[in-house]
Amino acid sequence: MQQDRIPASTARSSHVPSTGVARFLAACRHEQPDATPIWFMRQAGRSSQGYHELREKYDVLTLIKTPELCTRMTMMPVESFGVDGAVLYADIMLPLEGMGIDFELRTEGPVIHNPIRSAQDVEALRLMNIQESVPYILEALRLVRRELEGKQAVIGVTGGPFTLACYMIEGKPSRDYATAKALMYSQPDLWHALMEKVTDVVTEYALAQISAGADVIQIFESWIGTLGPSAYRRFVLPYTQRIFAAIKQTGAPAIHFGTGAASLLESMAEAGGDVISVDWRVELDTAWERIGLERGIQGNLDPTLLLTSWPVVEAGMQDVLRRAANRPGHIFNLGHGIPMAADPDLLRRLVEAVHETTKR
Amino acid sequence: MQQDRIPASTARSSHVPSTGVARFLAACRHEQPDATPIWFMRQAGRSSQGYHELREKYDVLTLIKTPELCTRMTMMPVESFGVDGAVLYADIMLPLEGMGIDFELRTEGPVIHNPIRSAQDVEALRLMNIQESVPYILEALRLVRRELEGKQAVIGVTGGPFTLACYMIEGKPSRDYATAKALMYSQPDLWHALMEKVTDVVTEYALAQISAGADVIQIFESWIGTLGPSAYRRFVLPYTQRIFAAIKQTGAPAIHFGTGAASLLESMAEAGGDVISVDWRVELDTAWERIGLERGIQGNLDPTLLLTSWPVVEAGMQDVLRRAANRPGHIFNLGHGIPMAADPDLLRRLVEAVHETTKR
């Protein structure tokens, strides 16, 4: 379904032309791109030129829900940093609005006014039509795709089912998601009923993004690291597996992201994803061996390095690249999102240096 | 040095008498106790009967710094839950006061008014005499030891050098300790100078606690999970190693605790500790194989289970015990501290059930 975007003959040769999208998709397909592709989680709306200007005029939800403004926010880091992919300026909570979840986005994270605590709450959740609930996201994706002119990859994103369920139950950001996990452990039927619904929505949302022009989808399981392997396999894996299976049918590649998930890597790989995104708490080479070298890997510079200086960032980059060992299937990224206080100049230099160092 | 507390003949037989201290120390020495010892991190000052009564009358620092009150707080969980060890009602920040660190203890954690940010700040840190800076802790330890009458183990505690350095630099609790880590990466000389001083203080503090009557020392490296293995080995391991080596010389066993440290287990074991304390993010059997079966292990029930009901807690306990497989060297504990809202009755039943199930 997506293959028509790169001529098959090129996509299958060992060296593909040097556009960001070709580079990005080659890595996803475990082919050798002309250089290692790079992008940054939370690149939209952090550190870009012009970001603060727009944020002074509009609140976050207006920026997200106005396709032209959202497109502007999304394009900024592509222009400022030279990354190989554009990721939508959006929030993982958005598709939950159509389910009847009433939230607001605060600096510290989403706060939900009607958290899920009972079987009735789960029952009351609507299964919305994504085209109707987030038309602005799909429209922004189309606009971004047009503006990129096939030069960079369009990266669609969605929260993973565990992370969304955690927010829905907990009602606010948390260090340990104790309320959500206590409900998961003590009322497994309720948990599974919720996960069924969330999985349907996430699947529909991912497929709609692909139809609207996303070249690749990243599933953010940001809080998965609060679980151990048994709990993950029992309460999450079957749902994530279903989402990745549905994406696979479209032909678009998928990236599976988790943080603090050092003990879950094999299980996450089993759940799915052409590329597994790992954080800096594991060494990239060790992680790659554990998920299997036939799979792609994304990561994994410690974002904290962006608060230092270029020689320190460069040393960190060299270490990541040394561990990636020039194998096909590596997408360079941070282990998690760009810190608020990151120096934009370091981001620019990092993109340039990764491309330069890995030129093949 | 500590061995004289249990007759050598008993300690070396395969079954030792059923006091908490014998049970606890047998596990630390990798001998088979009559039942698996159990205690809870943060057992003092959470969920115990009488806790709220004392907290209404006194603020936290008064409770900690008045040996009789501190002893009361420390003894409560021993009486309420029947645990095999008493851990002092204290805070890991206390020994830093003598260094010139000005902090206050808030609900969310310690806030430091003069955080460390420069070489001058590190230079200005005093190397205090522990006997003079925390006489109240050492006095409380003596009182607790007397009250326990040799029935339960006295567990001395200290923050690990990384965790203390993080607080000292960051100045407040944080999810990622970005300021501390950025300084560590960008000013390694400053970092190492700070770690030298903190290591000296932690070592002196641990040894003073052993002299005052602690049967065992636990080093809390609560935030170590913000590092990957290379950073850990470069910036932390040599210091932790020095502390454990000094404790070993006294003959008292030591427990090495970390959270979110799934990728660091081998390195933490290399740094030291007769027992490695693991959280619920790794399975106990996998973790034990990784640190080496000749070493003891502590853990690792998900504390979130204490917010559920007995059948759920019991299932979790059975899973931990099944993975411990009746091997010598297991100390039952949670993966991290008791949650504020934990049901005390569950704690009581858990202690009873662990003793009952593992009776040998």
Side-chain angles (χ1 to χ4, degrees):
Chain A
M1 190 173 173
Q2 299 294 302
Q3 270 78 348
D4 60 349
R5 281 166 197 162
I6 321 173
S9 61
T10 321
R12 283 190 183 95
S13 82
S14 68
H15 290 274
V16 291
S18 62
T19 63
V21 66
R23 209 172 269 157
F24 204 108
L25 291 177
C28 289
R29 295 188 181 120
H30 221 78
E31 292 155 3
Q32 190 68 291
D34 68 311
T36 296
I38 172 169
W39 68 289
F40 303 116
M41 287 178 264
R42 290 201 207 125
Q43 68 186 20
R46 297 266 171 111
S47 315
S48 307
Q49 284 169 344
Y51 164 68
H52 295 285
E53 217 171 284
L54 278 178
R55 271 295 278 117
E56 267 168 37
K57 284 199 216 159
Y58 307 100
D59 64 36
V60 173
L61 276 181
T62 306
L63 286 172
I64 289 176
K65 293 189 172 182
T66 313
E68 292 71 22
L69 293 173
C70 178
T71 300
R72 206 72 282 292
M73 296 295 272
T74 303
M75 291 299 295
M76 276 179 201
V78 178
E79 294 152 9
S80 303
F81 309 138
V83 286
D84 295 304
V87 62
L88 224 52
Y89 179 72
D91 191 276
I92 63 167
M93 295 301 289
L94 298 168
L96 303 185
E97 215 169 22
M99 297 182 85
I101 294 287
D102 176 24
F103 63 86
E104 67 183 288
L105 301 178
R106 299 203 190 145
T107 318
E108 70 274 18
V111 173
I112 289 116
H113 300 298
N114 55 346
I116 303 292
R117 298 289 163 90
S118 69
Q120 290 87 319
D121 294 341
V122 175
E123 204 135 313
L125 288 169
R126 296 191 296 267
L127 274 183
M128 54 169 190
N129 177 320
I130 280 286
Q131 308 287 340
E132 282 165 33
S133 75
V134 288
Y136 52 90
I137 292 276
L138 304 174
E139 179 57 19
L141 270 172
R142 285 181 209 106
L143 292 177
V144 166
R145 183 164 186 86
R146 197 183 311 150
E147 284 216 23
L148 289 174
E149 297 176 328
K151 286 185 198 126
Q152 286 82 17
V154 181
I155 306 166
V157 293
T158 169
F162 177 77
T163 300
L164 291 176
C166 274
Y167 277 131
M168 290 166 91
I169 298 166
E170 200 79 23
K172 57 178 192 290
S174 155
R175 195 189 276 272
D176 51 12
Y177 292 94
T179 311
K181 283 174 58 195
L183 184 145
M184 176 187 89
Y185 284 126
S186 57
Q187 300 187 62
D189 290 349
L190 197 163
W191 174 263
H192 288 297
L194 175 60
M195 288 294 273
E196 286 286 343
K197 287 197 169 182
V198 173
T199 298
D200 286 349
V201 170
V202 169
T203 306
E204 206 196 325
Y205 187 43
L207 300 186
Q209 290 184 65
I210 293 167
S211 296
D215 292 300
V216 48
I217 296 286
Q218 175 157 324
I219 312 275
F220 279 84
E221 276 292 26
S222 312
W223 310 132
I224 204 67
T226 53
L227 295 183
S230 311
Y232 177 79
R233 300 185 70 83
R234 178 174 168 205
F235 293 113
V236 184
L237 187 141
Y239 303 100
T240 316
Q241 210 157 35
R242 212 197 286 170
I243 297 163
F244 281 111
I247 297 173
K248 203 173 195 71
Q249 293 231 318
T250 70
I255 305 172
H256 192 175
F257 167 81
T259 47
S263 64
L264 302 177
L265 293 181
E266 294 84 354
S267 302
M268 284 178 65
E270 186 183 331
D274 301 275
V275 177
I276 308 295
S277 191
V278 298
D279 74 17
W280 69 94
R281 293 174 178 93
V282 282
E283 308 295 9
L284 190 109
D285 45 355
T286 318
W288 211 343
E289 276 157 30
R290 284 177 52 201
I291 63 174
L293 290 172
E294 69 293 350
R295 189 91 65 143
I297 197 161
Q298 178 174 269
N300 71 342
L301 195 74
D302 188 340
T304 309
L305 292 179
L306 297 171
L307 306 173
T308 67
S309 59
W310 176 245
V312 182
V313 176
E314 194 186 18
M317 173 198 82
Q318 292 292 5
D319 185 59
V320 170
L321 291 178
R322 186 178 59 74
R323 293 175 191 276
N326 215 15
R327 289 193 199 98
H330 179 218
I331 300 173
F332 199 103
N333 205 324
L334 308 175
H336 205 166
I338 299 177
M340 276 291 183
D343 175 356
D345 194 51
L346 291 178
L347 292 164
R348 227 181 329 269
R349 290 182 75 168
L350 182 55
V351 172
E352 213 178 275
V354 165
H355 285 160
E356 192 55 39
T357 312
T358 60
K359 205 151 61 179
R360 289 169 192 114
Chain B
M1 191 173 171
Q2 299 295 300
Q3 270 79 347
D4 60 350
R5 281 166 194 160
I6 321 174
S9 60
T10 323
R12 280 186 187 99
S13 81
S14 69
H15 290 276
V16 291
S18 62
T19 65
V21 65
R23 208 173 271 157
F24 205 108
L25 290 177
C28 288
R29 293 186 183 121
H30 221 77
E31 292 155 4
Q32 191 68 291
D34 69 310
T36 297
I38 173 169
W39 68 289
F40 303 117
M41 287 179 265
R42 288 201 209 126
Q43 69 186 18
R46 296 266 171 111
S47 313
S48 308
Q49 284 168 345
Y51 164 67
H52 295 286
E53 216 171 285
L54 277 179
R55 271 295 278 119
E56 266 167 40
K57 283 199 216 160
Y58 306 100
D59 64 36
V60 172
L61 275 182
T62 306
L63 285 172
I64 289 176
K65 294 189 172 183
T66 313
E68 292 70 21
L69 293 172
C70 178
T71 301
R72 205 71 282 290
M73 295 295 271
T74 302
M75 290 301 293
M76 276 180 201
V78 178
E79 294 151 9
S80 303
F81 308 139
V83 287
D84 295 305
V87 61
L88 224 51
Y89 180 73
D91 190 277
I92 62 167
M93 296 301 290
L94 298 168
L96 303 186
E97 216 169 21
M99 297 181 86
I101 295 287
D102 176 24
F103 63 87
E104 67 184 288
L105 302 178
R106 299 203 189 143
T107 319
E108 71 273 18
V111 173
I112 288 116
H113 300 299
N114 55 345
I116 302 292
R117 298 289 162 90
S118 68
Q120 291 87 318
D121 293 341
V122 175
E123 205 134 313
L125 288 169
R126 295 190 297 265
L127 275 183
M128 54 171 191
N129 177 321
I130 280 287
Q131 309 287 340
E132 282 166 32
S133 76
V134 288
Y136 51 90
I137 292 277
L138 304 174
E139 179 57 18
L141 269 171
R142 284 181 209 105
L143 291 177
V144 166
R145 183 166 187 85
R146 197 182 313 149
E147 283 216 24
L148 289 174
E149 296 176 328
K151 286 188 199 122
Q152 285 82 16
V154 181
I155 306 166
V157 293
T158 170
F162 177 77
T163 300
L164 291 175
C166 274
Y167 278 130
M168 290 166 91
I169 298 166
E170 200 79 25
K172 57 178 194 288
S174 154
R175 195 190 275 275
D176 51 12
Y177 292 94
T179 311
K181 282 174 58 195
L183 183 145
M184 176 187 89
Y185 284 126
S186 57
Q187 300 186 65
D189 290 350
L190 195 164
W191 174 264
H192 288 297
L194 175 60
M195 288 293 274
E196 286 287 342
K197 287 198 169 181
V198 173
T199 298
D200 286 349
V201 170
V202 169
T203 305
E204 206 196 324
Y205 187 43
L207 299 187
Q209 289 184 65
I210 294 167
S211 297
D215 293 299
V216 48
I217 296 286
Q218 174 158 323
I219 311 276
F220 279 83
E221 276 293 27
S222 311
W223 310 132
I224 203 69
T226 53
L227 295 183
S230 312
Y232 177 79
R233 300 185 71 83
R234 178 173 168 206
F235 294 112
V236 183
L237 188 141
Y239 303 100
T240 317
Q241 210 158 35
R242 213 197 285 171
I243 297 163
F244 281 110
I247 297 172
K248 202 173 195 69
Q249 294 231 318
T250 69
I255 305 172
H256 192 176
F257 167 80
T259 48
S263 65
L264 302 178
L265 293 181
E266 294 85 355
S267 302
M268 283 176 66
E270 186 183 332
D274 301 276
V275 177
I276 308 294
S277 191
V278 299
D279 74 15
W280 67 96
R281 294 174 179 93
V282 283
E283 308 295 9
L284 190 109
D285 45 356
T286 318
W288 211 343
E289 276 158 30
R290 283 177 53 201
I291 62 174
L293 290 172
E294 70 292 350
R295 187 90 65 143
I297 197 161
Q298 178 174 269
N300 72 342
L301 195 74
D302 187 342
T304 309
L305 292 179
L306 296 172
L307 307 174
T308 67
S309 58
W310 176 244
V312 182
V313 176
E314 195 187 18
M317 174 198 82
Q318 292 293 5
D319 185 60
V320 171
L321 291 178
R322 186 177 59 74
R323 293 175 191 276
N326 216 14
R327 290 193 198 97
H330 179 217
I331 300 173
F332 199 103
N333 206 322
L334 309 174
H336 205 166
I338 299 176
M340 276 290 184
D343 175 356
D345 195 51
L346 291 177
L347 292 165
R348 228 182 329 267
R349 291 182 75 167
L350 182 54
V351 172
E352 213 178 275
V354 165
H355 285 159
E356 192 54 39
T357 312
T358 59
K359 205 152 60 181
R360 291 173 190 110

